[in-house]
Amino acid sequence: MTTAVLSAETVRQALRQVKDPELDMNIVDLGLVYDVEVDDGLVRINMTLTSPGCPAGPMITNDIYKVVRAIEGVKDVDIDIVWSRIGRPSGSTRRSAR
């Protein structure tokens, strides 16, 4: 179990360990993670995948559960996959937004 203060930023940093295997980049730098909320041990992740039929989707979500549940204080993880987003995702980096 990872020792850290549970916060949205802690979760976002942990999500950098999760890679899209087809692109060999982490899901945060790819801009796939839109929002992270933490409320009394419940972590909600609002994100997308590279395509609706992404064959790596189940592997990515399983990796997310594994990484986030390892953070001290996490009681449950809820992943919401969405397919439309207006504008640049707030969590994307300059590199992934190009």
Side-chain angles (χ1 to χ4, degrees):
M1 199 174 261
T2 304
T3 302
V5 175
L6 183 58
S7 68
E9 184 56 31
T10 301
V11 172
R12 192 174 288 278
Q13 287 301 318
L15 290 174
R16 290 183 177 278
Q17 298 174 54
V18 178
K19 287 189 173 185
D20 181 312
E22 295 175 320
L23 301 173
D24 196 34
M25 285 183 65
N26 74 67
I27 62 172
V28 175
D29 287 345
L30 281 171
L32 301 181
V33 178
Y34 295 148
D35 190 39
V36 175
E37 296 176 11
V38 176
D39 182 23
D40 194 31
L42 172 62
V43 176
R44 291 182 188 92
I45 301 167
N46 186 315
M47 63 170 292
T48 194
L49 296 170
T50 54
S51 69
C54 179
M59 186 176 94
I60 291 170
T61 56
N62 284 337
D63 288 351
I64 290 170
Y65 285 121
K66 181 180 174 184
V67 166
V68 175
R69 286 180 177 150
I71 301 170
E72 187 175 335
V74 172
K75 297 176 185 171
D76 200 6
V77 181
D78 181 29
I79 302 170
D80 186 21
I81 306 290
V82 297
W83 298 113
S84 62
R85 177 84 174 182
I86 298 172
R88 182 176 141 207
S90 61
S92 70
T93 62
R94 286 178 136 352
R95 188 167 115 202
S96 64
R98 288 184 204 166

